[in-house]
Amino acid sequence: MPNPIEFYFDFSSPYGYIASHEIDAIAAKYGREAIWRPFLLGVAFKATGGVPLPSIPIKGPYHVRDFARSAKFHGVEYRQPTVFPIATVAPARAFYWLDGKDPKRAKDLARALYRAYFVDDLDISNADNAIAVSAKSGLNAAEVRAGISDPAVKDRTKAEVDKALARGAFGSPYIVIDGECFWGSDRLDQIDRWLATGGW
Amino acid sequence: MPNPIEFYFDFSSPYGYIASHEIDAIAAKYGREAIWRPFLLGVAFKATGGVPLPSIPIKGPYHVRDFARSAKFHGVEYRQPTVFPIATVAPARAFYWLDGKDPKRAKDLARALYRAYFVDDLDISNADNAIAVSAKSGLNAAEVRAGISDPAVKDRTKAEVDKALARGAFGSPYIVIDGECFWGSDRLDQIDRWLATGGW
């Protein structure tokens, strides 16, 4: 079996959201699995001196425009969230709680959380909102709430964020194929060719 | 006649170099002209707080790898310059000196300067080297030298840099189509579709 594709993303990242629509199909096309690994851009920025895009003069307004334009280019529904960016530790913990039990359902939850934030404009940094999205996805709200607060889930989340940073994830999405790293939804075309050709 | 496509780039920008190989063909496909406008990223960075990519922890090494990988993806010959990045006021002035007389030849000179830097590893921040490249391209070395020092050429260069910044050019390449702005060689696919469809 070929190695899985590692898909690192932040729940507050428009480009991560865009890539989440395509990564599984690209992986499947080449007999690979994509494993989803939410991480926290805020923590990564401490290592690189990065700052959230909208806070950057001139570049910030460009990117707000580019988020929507790139989403449409990829055929992905998108609405600029009212509160942006957000801290995403609550949705990340909900994901890892479920991933420990059922990775496939965890991906579905990640999709629902992304959609709640980037289509329904729901602030998923709020744990209550993240839990409400989980419940709407068929999970038990009380179990999700307990899971988010579980020290083992918190530890797992922290360990996964550390692993993402150790992989070099300085932005989102950050996609690793057999050790080769690609940053951005605008690298999906290179990823496709990399998988097809084995690299260049 | 449709508006020309404005192609802003810095002579030290690998992604600008990559885009320089495709922008004229994309424009011509849609009956447009591409006008080339070198500017100075160092000046733009003062407005945005930007810094040269290689100086950024973690992100820097990623990009050095991505420069070469993206060049190859686009079928463009590339060698990481020994001195990188460089100040590009000398090649920019040589370009604008010639652009004032013959825009088509100025594009050819820009291609030769880019190639000297990104294939032959010649430090074109050095005026003598920029002049040598110009001479190799069939221009008169003494005339180029006088042109680079001409106050009118210096003023034109400064005015063009100011215009690029006023357009919002915070990175290279920065491409403007009927007021719509695209940053990066990884937006060439969006540019192609934008020109084909009139936008979305």
Side-chain angles (χ1 to χ4, degrees), chain A residues 15 44 47-49 56-59 62-63 65-66 68-70 72-74 165 168-170 174 180-184 186-187 189-190 193-194 200, chain B residues 15 44 47-49 56-59 62-63 65-66 68-70 72-74 165 168-170 174 180-184 186-187 189-190 193-194 200:
Chain A
Y15 301 121
T48 60
I56 305 172
I58 307 168
K59 190 175 180 175
Y62 169 84
H63 273 289
R65 169 82 183 136
D66 188 66
R69 189 176 64 202
S70 293
K72 208 158 183 183
F73 180 72
H74 284 273
L165 301 195
F170 59 84
Y174 192 82
E180 184 77 15
C181 304
F182 298 84
W183 169 49
D186 45 32
R187 290 295 178 277
D189 51 358
Q190 290 198 30
R193 198 191 297 174
W194 192 272
W200 57 83
Chain B
Y15 302 120
T48 61
I56 304 173
I58 307 168
K59 189 174 182 176
Y62 169 83
H63 272 288
R65 168 84 183 133
D66 188 66
R69 190 175 64 201
S70 293
K72 208 158 181 181
F73 180 72
H74 285 273
L165 301 195
F170 59 85
Y174 192 82
E180 185 76 16
C181 304
F182 298 85
W183 169 49
D186 45 32
R187 290 295 178 277
D189 51 358
Q190 291 199 30
R193 198 191 297 175
W194 191 272
W200 56 82

Side-chain angles (χ1 to χ4, degrees), chain A:
Chain A
M1 270 289 286
N3 294 323
I5 292 172
E6 299 161 44
F7 174 53
Y8 298 99
F9 62 97
D10 184 296
F11 276 112
S12 185
S13 160
Y15 301 121
Y17 166 68
I18 292 170
S20 76
H21 287 76
E22 303 191 10
I23 193 68
D24 279 343
I26 293 175
K29 194 169 150 188
Y30 300 102
R32 304 251 193 163
E33 189 196 355
I35 56 167
W36 290 33
R37 291 294 176 260
F39 75 111
L40 305 177
L41 264 185
V43 179
F45 284 169
K46 281 179 191 158
T48 60
V51 292
L53 286 171
S55 68
I56 305 172
I58 307 168
K59 190 175 180 175
Y62 169 84
H63 273 289
V64 171
R65 169 82 183 136
D66 188 66
F67 296 155
R69 189 176 64 202
S70 293
K72 208 158 183 183
F73 180 72
H74 284 273
V76 171
E77 201 175 348
Y78 183 87
R79 187 163 73 169
Q80 183 61 34
T82 308
V83 185
F84 179 88
I86 53 169
T88 55
V89 69
R93 285 178 180 163
F95 175 92
Y96 283 117
W97 162 73
L98 188 54
D99 186 65
K101 307 198 280 190
D102 188 340
K104 199 177 164 302
R105 274 192 92 184
K107 280 191 194 183
D108 290 337
L109 175 60
R111 289 188 191 97
L113 287 162
Y114 254 153
R115 184 173 176 84
Y117 185 51
F118 286 115
V119 177
D120 303 329
D121 195 17
L122 189 74
D123 179 358
I124 58 169
S125 71
N126 179 310
D128 289 337
N129 287 343
I131 292 164
V133 173
S134 307
K136 214 176 141 192
S137 303
L139 298 162
N140 180 293
E143 284 178 20
V144 181
R145 187 177 296 278
I148 289 178
S149 308
D150 181 345
V153 170
K154 290 182 179 178
D155 286 350
R156 165 90 195 278
T157 303
K158 191 181 173 309
E160 292 290 355
V161 172
D162 288 346
K163 193 184 155 194
L165 301 195
R167 278 296 210 198
F170 59 84
S172 166
Y174 192 82
I175 294 157
V176 183
I177 303 170
D178 304 330
E180 184 77 15
C181 304
F182 298 84
W183 169 49
S185 54
D186 45 32
R187 290 295 178 277
L188 290 169
D189 51 358
Q190 290 198 30
I191 286 168
D192 190 288
R193 198 191 297 174
W194 192 272
L195 287 163
T197 63
W200 57 83

Side-chain angles (χ1 to χ4, degrees), chain B residues 51-129:
Chain B
V51 294
L53 285 170
S55 67
I56 304 173
I58 307 168
K59 189 174 182 176
Y62 169 83
H63 272 288
V64 171
R65 168 84 183 133
D66 188 66
F67 296 155
R69 190 175 64 201
S70 293
K72 208 158 181 181
F73 180 72
H74 285 273
V76 170
E77 199 176 349
Y78 183 87
R79 186 163 73 169
Q80 183 61 35
T82 307
V83 185
F84 179 85
I86 52 169
T88 54
V89 67
R93 284 177 181 164
F95 175 91
Y96 284 118
W97 163 73
L98 189 53
D99 186 65
K101 307 198 280 191
D102 187 339
K104 199 177 164 302
R105 275 192 92 181
K107 281 191 195 183
D108 290 337
L109 175 60
R111 289 189 192 96
L113 287 162
Y114 254 152
R115 184 173 177 85
Y117 186 51
F118 286 113
V119 176
D120 303 329
D121 195 17
L122 188 74
D123 178 358
I124 58 169
S125 70
N126 180 310
D128 288 338
N129 287 343

